[in-house]
Amino acid sequence: PFLQGHTLIIEAMDGQISWDGLPILGDFPSDWDVPGLVAARYRELSEPIDKAQTHRPIHGLELELPLGVRLTVNRWAKHLDLIITMRPQQGGQDGHCGNFNGNSTDDSADLIKSRMDLRVSEQDLLFPKASIDTSEPEEITLADCAAELRASAEAQCLQRRVGENGTESFVEACIFDLCFGGSDFDAGL
């Protein structure tokens, strides 16, 4: 197995970070490692994964894992943002973000679905309890936000738009966050 039978759990700020059920990286900043397997640095990062979060301090983890896999995690009050980076695997690979062949035209959601089952097999699950819900989630758009809530969110987000955060995509992300995540997940407030 990837982590040689160990379990690494990273929770939002209202939780903890643990290795095999024992808390790690409890201090901020701090470093932790299992030589030859995983190295982790927990500190304030200079840039957030979600560019709409630039106005907040970024409690981030940078992890180096086996096979050249790197994981960057931003820990927020009640959620995580993360990026996984890795080098090409021998024999190729395919997944949620595409097949890593340098041709973005064959990485649409429909083409990825046609190449593979997007569900993780039971033997490859990373989490102790599998969800029994096997339905595809419905895509939510700004059109699904209640009109009154959307108008309030838009007013708040337009009022807060400053500097490079003043882009249309920033404002839309802010509105989306307020509509569907509430104030704990807003991009601009």
Side-chain angles (χ1 to χ4, degrees):
F2 185 70
L3 291 177
Q4 299 178 3
H6 297 281
T7 303
L8 174 65
I9 298 177
I10 303 167
E11 297 177 326
M13 296 295 287
D14 62 352
Q16 66 179 358
I17 306 166
S18 66
W19 178 259
D20 292 338
L22 300 174
I24 59 170
L25 299 164
D27 294 327
F28 184 84
S30 58
D31 296 327
W32 174 88
D33 73 340
V34 174
L37 188 61
V38 60
R41 290 169 301 288
Y42 184 36
R43 56 187 32 88
E44 186 164 338
L45 301 180
S46 59
E47 288 189 40
I49 293 167
D50 178 352
K51 300 302 182 213
Q53 300 289 353
T54 56
H55 64 287
R56 296 181 179 190
I58 306 147
H59 283 228
L61 277 159
E62 295 174 315
L63 296 108
E64 294 178 29
L65 301 166
L67 303 174
V69 174
R70 291 177 172 236
L71 182 65
T72 302
V73 182
N74 294 168
R75 294 180 77 207
W76 303 109
K78 298 190 181 291
H79 76 282
L80 303 171
D81 290 327
L82 66 94
I83 291 180
I84 300 171
T85 55
M86 60 191 294
R87 61 181 177 249
Q89 301 298 300
Q90 191 171 357
Q93 64 211 49
D94 206 348
H96 178 77
C97 295
N99 57 17
F100 211 20
N101 67 356
N103 178 4
S104 62
T105 63
D106 66 0
D107 292 335
S108 70
D110 289 336
L111 288 173
I112 293 170
K113 284 180 185 179
S114 73
R115 292 192 300 262
M116 62 185 293
D117 183 2
L118 295 179
R119 300 193 197 296
V120 177
S121 69
E122 192 164 328
Q123 71 186 30
D124 291 329
L125 285 174
L126 297 176
F127 307 103
K129 294 179 184 173
S131 169
I132 56 171
D133 181 4
T134 60
S135 63
E136 289 290 326
E138 289 184 34
E139 185 174 337
I140 298 174
T141 68
L142 283 177
D144 298 312
C145 183
E148 185 175 308
L149 178 57
R150 182 173 176 169
S152 172
E154 186 169 359
Q156 291 177 62
C157 294
L158 286 171
Q159 185 177 36
R160 294 277 301 173
R161 135 173 129 170
V162 292
E164 68 181 63
N165 287 340
T167 64
E168 184 177 332
S169 61
F170 171 84
V171 173
E172 283 186 12
C174 177
I175 295 167
F176 188 93
D177 290 350
L178 283 172
C179 281
F180 303 108
S183 60
D184 286 336
F185 298 96
D186 65 74
L189 303 176

